[in-house]
Structures are given as C-alpha cells and as structure tokens.
C-alpha cells in the first residue's frame, strides 16, 4: 500500500463516520506502515456485517478504476466537468490512490467514470444503422426503454424489475439496461445464522452505445449483451421500437472485409500511424460450410504482405477470391502517447457488423477513422 493511501483512507472512513479509523489522519511514519495495515485489518474485523459490506462494496468500485486506463478515464471525466485535480494527484499518486481520491473528493466524477469504464472494458460491439436524433432525445427515453424491456422479458418469466441508466457525452450516449433474472439459490449469513436455502434474483445488464450522426448522416447504435447474434438482434429491435419507433434494419453491411482479398490493399492517412499488419484472416466458402484460418507470426511483414506471401506459397491465392472473409485480426502501431507508451493496439473485425474497437480510447478512435478511410468500415453503404 502506498503511503499516500493512508490519509486518503482516513478521509474515506471519516466520511463514513467510522471514527475508529481516525488514527489514519495526518502524516504517518513510513516505518510504521506494517503496523498501520495490521491496525486497519483489526478495526475492519470489528465492524458489523452491514457496515463491513458497505465498505467492501466501495473498495470494489474503487478497484474498477485502479488501472492505468481507469485513472486516465477519471482525469478525462474531471476535465470534461471542469475540475482540476491537484498536481500531486497527477504526479505522486498511484492509480489506485487516484481512484480513491476522486471517490472521496468528487463522487460525481467518480460515478460517471465508473459508468463509462463498463464500456471501455467491453469489446465485440455489433453496430446497426438508426435514425439520427439528438443525444438528449435518446437519453430522455429511459422510461420507454424500461417498459419495453420489461414487456419483452415477460414471456420468459423474468424482468419484473428493470432499470435504465443513461450517460450523455458530447457526441454519444451510453445506455445500460438492467434486467432482473431468474431466481437463484444462495447461501447467506445473517444475525449469526446461516441460511442454506436463501433465494435471490440477480440482475444482468445490456449495454447500448448511440452516436447521432456519421458521414452518411445516419445514427449508429451498438450493442453488447450476452448471447449470440439472434439474441442481440432481438434486443436491438426492442430498443429501436422504444426509442425511434422503427423496425430494426440489420441487413446492411458495416465492414467490408473482402477488400483484404486484394494483395495491394493498404491502410494509411494518419501521420501517427507507424505501421499496421494483418495478423490473421479467416475465410469461409460461400455456403459457409468450410472454414480455414491463416495466421502470420513473422514480424518482418507489414500490411497484408505476410498473409499474401503464405497464400501464394501454398497456391491458395486464386481460391480465396471465391470465398468470404469472415474475420480479420489486426495490429497497429501509432506514435506513443502518455496513455499508450507503446502505441500498439490489436483488434479484430467479424463480418459483417462486429468490431473489437471501442469508441472511447484515443488510439481506438484513430484506428476507427483509418478503417473508414480504407473502406473496411463501409458505414452501412453495402
């Protein structure tokens, strides 16, 4: 534990009115660090179950933003809300301490950052075209979304309770739909007694990301949810009907991976892009019954050169012209940034509407723009 964390912990416990931790206030001697940790553990054990659970819940939330990405997310959110953190928070604090500092001093910033972090941690988004509406319009449909999903899950005998959270940003809105699931047996302890037949109904979450306008003057809706495409398509239909009063059009192609069947294909257009390479590609026959995957580990190749060298060597270069490119794995190297000291990102695209890139990270955004310029991201024009 960093020495900075002790007074921060003291501030946290003071806000919780847990004055038995007042010994953490002020400057602490580094030589007493081990004894301080032991004292914290001792006092934690004395807390009643309810208060101890609340503290553990808070620390679990803080831990979600204790990574480099989480700390960066917090600082970005602070900038967006016009809050300037002290210099020592930026320079001297470890990432976990930064998260704790914002939790204690700026809970609104912390809560917004935690909400966005959920979307940063997800990948494999499916994207469909929708009408272009204002961000406030979509965020204002929370009640309609909740009612629609409750009705949708009624036939499955779940979803008695739902919640909808919307987090608006300058050019997008994040929507989280929470749905009460089937009952599950659990073992609980209360008032010194163990109940082995306790029952609870947990919630599962569905994530939507909406951007109001793209180059084709259409809106874009993305989803991340449990289940395959059929299930996700059903959920997109529910959302589209509730928010836009339209039927989902999932027939349009988002990514045109067949461009990779051209040996001269290239990605360019960003001065910060140092190189890119196609790491692997998956081909399918048109009847989708046969699949083969080509992967290249030779780092001396750039672009599609490695894949095409293999295809020519084994005389497959002609055969693949009559196949579909089902999946492609990429690696891109950009100029280093404070958030990405190596400047390297890896991601995949699945035909026809799934991409691992998110729309938040700075390098992911750059990669998105390059995909559009290259034509790989065809923006529902196919």
């Amino acid at each position: 534990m960093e020495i900075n964390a002790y007074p921060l912990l003291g501030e946290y416990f003071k806000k919780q009115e847990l004055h038995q931790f007042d010994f953490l206030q002020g400057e602490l001697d580094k030589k007493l660090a081990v004894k301080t940790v032991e004292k914290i553990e001792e006092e934690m054990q004395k807390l009643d179950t309810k208060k101890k659970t609340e503290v553990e819940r808070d620390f679990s939330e803080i831990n979600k933003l204790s990574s480099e990405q989480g700390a960066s997310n917090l600082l970005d959110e602070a900038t967006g809300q016009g809050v300037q953190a002290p210099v020592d928070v930026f320079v001297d604090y470890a990432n976990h301490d930064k998260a704790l500092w914002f939790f204690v001093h700026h809970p609104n910033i912390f809560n917004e950052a935690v909400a966005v972090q959920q979307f940063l941690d997800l990948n494999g988004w499916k994207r469909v075209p929708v009408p272009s509406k204002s961000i406030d319009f979509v965020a204002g449909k929370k009640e309609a979304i909740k009612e629609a999903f409750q009705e949708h899950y009624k036939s499955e005998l779940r979803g008695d309770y739902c919640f909808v959270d919307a987090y608006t940003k300058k050019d997008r809105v994040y929507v989280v739909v929470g749905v009460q699931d089937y009952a599950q047996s659990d073992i609980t302890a209360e008032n010194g007694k163990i109940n082995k037949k306790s029952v609870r109904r947990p919630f599962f979450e569905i994530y939507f990301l909406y951007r109001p306008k793209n180059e084709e003057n259409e809106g874009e809706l993305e989803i991340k949810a449990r289940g395959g495409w059929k299930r996700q398509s059903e959920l997109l239909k529910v959302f589209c009907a509730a928010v836009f009063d339209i039927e989902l059009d999932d027939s349009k192609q988002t990514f045109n991976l067949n461009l990779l069947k051209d040996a001269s294909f290239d990605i360019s257009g960003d001065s910060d892009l140092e190189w890119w390479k196609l790491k692997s590609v998956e081909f399918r026959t048109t009847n989708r019954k046969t699949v083969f995957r080509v992967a290249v580990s030779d780092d001396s190749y750039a672009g599609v050169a490695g894949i095409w060298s293999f295809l020519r060597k084994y005389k497959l270069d002609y055969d693949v012209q009559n196949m579909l490119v089902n999946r492609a794995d990429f690696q891109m190297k950009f100029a280093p940034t404070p958030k990405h000291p190596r400047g390297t990102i890896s991601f995949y695209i699945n035909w026809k509407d799934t991409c691992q890139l998110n729309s938040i990270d700075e390098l992911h955004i750059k990669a998105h723009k390059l995909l559009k310029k290259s034509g790989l991201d065809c923006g529902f024009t196919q």
Side-chain angles (χ1 to χ4, degrees):
M1 182 179 291
E2 297 285 338
I3 195 69
N4 291 323
Y6 296 133
L8 279 173
L9 283 172
E11 293 180 63
Y12 165 80
F13 285 119
K14 185 178 181 180
K15 288 188 71 172
Q16 308 305 314
E17 297 185 354
L18 296 172
H19 298 293
Q20 60 268 49
F21 293 92
D22 284 350
F23 64 89
L24 292 169
Q25 299 291 327
E27 296 294 326
L28 294 174
D29 189 341
K30 291 184 179 180
K31 296 178 181 179
L32 301 177
V34 174
K35 290 186 177 180
T36 302
V37 172
E38 292 174 350
K39 179 66 173 174
I40 293 172
E41 293 173 347
E42 180 183 332
E43 294 298 335
M44 281 290 293
Q45 292 296 330
K46 295 177 183 178
L47 296 178
D48 62 67
T49 301
K50 182 175 181 297
K51 181 56 70 173
K52 186 179 179 182
T53 301
E54 290 174 356
V55 172
E56 290 173 351
R57 176 204 61 202
D58 289 347
F59 287 172
S60 176
E61 289 291 288
I62 292 166
N63 195 54
K64 291 178 182 178
L65 294 176
S66 62
S67 65
E68 188 70 35
Q69 187 182 65
S72 175
N73 188 14
L74 278 165
L75 296 176
D76 287 345
E77 186 63 41
T79 301
Q81 295 192 26
V83 174
Q84 181 67 46
V87 174
D88 59 345
V89 173
F90 286 95
V91 177
D92 299 333
Y93 283 21
N95 292 329
H96 196 280
D97 297 345
K98 290 176 184 176
L100 178 56
W101 186 88
F102 277 104
F103 185 92
V104 172
H105 293 281
H106 294 282
N108 288 338
I109 290 175
F110 183 91
N111 291 336
E112 285 288 316
V114 164
V116 172
Q117 190 69 28
Q118 299 175 93
F119 291 81
L120 281 167
D121 291 340
L122 296 171
N123 57 54
W125 293 85
K126 288 187 178 292
R127 185 173 61 178
V128 294
V130 290
S132 183
K133 298 287 186 180
S134 73
I135 289 173
D136 289 339
F137 175 87
V138 175
K141 291 286 187 176
K142 290 197 298 183
E143 189 63 28
I145 295 170
K146 186 184 81 169
E147 291 175 358
F149 277 92
Q150 282 183 307
E151 183 64 28
H152 174 74
Y153 281 103
K154 185 183 293 184
S155 63
E156 299 181 14
L157 301 179
R158 53 181 175 167
D160 290 346
Y161 293 93
C162 290
F163 68 83
V164 178
D165 293 329
Y167 306 94
T168 60
K169 302 299 177 185
K170 181 175 65 175
D171 60 346
R172 71 199 66 190
V173 57
Y174 305 102
V175 179
V176 182
V177 180
V179 181
Q180 190 179 47
D181 208 347
Y182 298 115
Q184 296 180 3
S185 61
D186 202 357
I187 300 175
T188 60
E190 190 173 356
N191 299 325
K193 295 182 179 179
I194 296 177
N195 182 357
K196 294 184 178 180
K197 295 185 178 182
S198 178
V199 177
R200 66 185 181 95
R201 286 182 175 270
F203 280 72
F204 62 89
E205 294 179 332
I206 307 162
Y207 300 90
F208 295 95
L209 170 58
Y210 174 74
R211 287 183 294 271
K213 189 177 291 188
N214 58 21
E215 286 81 350
E216 289 76 42
N217 207 31
E218 291 181 306
E220 297 178 345
L221 179 64
E222 299 185 46
I223 185 174
K224 182 66 180 178
R226 294 187 307 189
W229 170 237
K230 183 178 179 181
R231 166 63 74 175
Q232 293 175 352
S233 180
E234 291 173 356
L235 301 177
L236 283 166
K237 288 178 181 177
V238 174
F239 191 97
C240 287
V243 176
F244 306 107
D245 194 25
I246 62 168
E247 291 188 9
L248 171 68
D249 178 8
D250 59 358
S251 63
K252 294 184 178 180
Q253 182 173 326
T254 307
F255 298 100
N256 183 15
L257 295 179
N258 282 333
L259 293 176
L260 300 173
K261 294 192 293 185
D262 181 351
S264 63
F265 176 81
D266 195 19
I267 295 175
S268 61
D270 189 319
S271 59
D272 288 337
L273 180 66
E274 298 180 6
W275 52 258
W276 75 276
K277 63 182 64 177
L278 183 61
K279 298 289 289 183
S280 68
V281 63
E282 182 180 282
F283 295 97
R284 282 181 183 266
T285 54
T286 52
N287 62 10
R288 296 196 164 270
K289 291 183 177 180
T290 303
V291 147
F292 75 87
R293 182 172 179 270
V294 178
V296 176
S297 58
D298 188 342
D299 290 334
S300 65
Y301 288 106
V304 297
I307 295 294
W308 271 95
S309 174
F310 178 92
L311 294 175
R312 291 191 182 106
K313 180 178 180 180
Y314 292 97
K315 302 187 182 334
L316 296 169
D317 49 327
Y318 176 77
D319 293 337
V320 299
Q321 299 303 325
N322 299 313
M323 296 183 178
L324 297 171
V325 180
N326 192 62
R327 170 176 168 140
D329 290 73
F330 300 85
Q331 188 174 43
M332 291 185 177
K333 172 69 166 66
F334 293 91
T337 69
K339 296 180 184 178
H340 294 276
R342 296 178 62 187
T344 306
I345 59 171
S346 298
F347 61 93
Y348 67 80
I349 299 174
N350 275 4
W351 183 90
K352 63 182 174 53
D353 48 27
T354 304
C355 182
Q356 191 177 17
L357 294 171
N358 64 54
S359 300
I360 306 169
D361 181 89
E362 58 179 335
L363 294 191
H364 285 225
I365 292 172
K366 285 188 174 186
H368 261 302
K369 291 179 178 178
L370 289 170
L371 293 180
K372 283 185 175 291
K373 288 181 179 179
S374 71
L376 284 173
D377 184 341
C378 56
F380 311 119
T381 60
Q382 299 295 308

